[in-house]
Amino acid sequence: MKAFSLGVGSGVQNIWRRYERQLERRPVLTQMTTSCLLWATGDALAQRLVERRKLHEMDARRVAATAVFGACFMGPVGHFWYSGLDATVARFLTPGTAAFIGTKILADTLIMGPAYVILFYAWGCAAIDGSGVEGFKKKITQDFIPTYTAELAIWPLFQALNFSRVPVEHQLLAVNAMTLLDAAFLSWARNQEDWVATATAKFKAWQGGNAKPAAA
């Protein structure tokens, strides 16, 4: 068992070293590939675990379109956003200080956060369900505020840890790892007519199923 554990550990280290070499040689392409794989996995998880689809019911086109969003938006934009954000804030504040980290969190929350939600919804309306401009307007009007609010419950705290503990070159990887869950949520939410109403109904049904019968 010990030899097996050592072998697994060595294998993980080798993969990580290869990843770092590729990140150094081809940073944007490596980030695009990683984002592509994680966003595709996130949508697949949404379909399988949240929407309870069987394998033959999976929407492969939706998985592919979500993967393209990860590759073409989160990969390159995320790469330049995190490196540029760090360099810009470092011009005015001392790296590593509470003010430095807090400013980065605030900028990420107010700029990247809403852009990320809006562009994902826009991409979905254009490339996934084909609802176009009218569908996008309806989706943003109805779902942007609750979706962004849900994102605020997770990302500022996560980014506090990310910006304070993770080297800049690996911050997008950390975000993408978290996005594995967030992409599942966003994919599910984007494909609901009204995700808040759907989630509320499911929660009430769960409460009803778990309610104890009243004592005689």
Side-chain angles (χ1 to χ4, degrees), residues 166-187:
V166 179
V168 174
E169 64 270 21
H170 295 316
Q171 286 176 3
L172 180 59
L173 178 62
V175 167
N176 276 332
M178 186 63 182
T179 296
L180 187 62
L181 299 177
D182 195 45
F185 162 67
L186 284 177
S187 291

Side-chain angles (χ1 to χ4, degrees), residues 143-160:
D143 285 348
F144 173 73
I145 295 298
T147 303
Y148 182 53
T149 301
E151 296 287 297
L152 289 177
I154 299 171
W155 284 108
L157 178 58
F158 178 84
Q159 293 292 43

Side-chain angles (χ1 to χ4, degrees), residues 57-128:
E57 297 172 333
M58 295 280 287
D59 186 342
R61 182 176 177 277
R62 181 178 135 186
V63 174
T66 304
V68 170
F69 177 82
C72 296
F73 175 74
M74 284 307 297
V77 174
H79 170 75
F80 291 110
W81 169 253
Y82 290 112
S83 59
L85 177 64
D86 193 81
T88 300
V89 178
R91 293 172 59 188
F92 305 99
L93 297 167
T94 304
T97 61
F100 176 80
I101 295 169
T103 301
K104 288 179 65 175
I105 293 169
L106 186 63
D108 190 71
T109 301
L110 296 180
I111 300 172
M112 186 62 157
Y116 162 76
V117 174
I118 290 169
L119 288 172
F120 182 66
Y121 278 168
W123 175 252
C125 292
I128 297 176

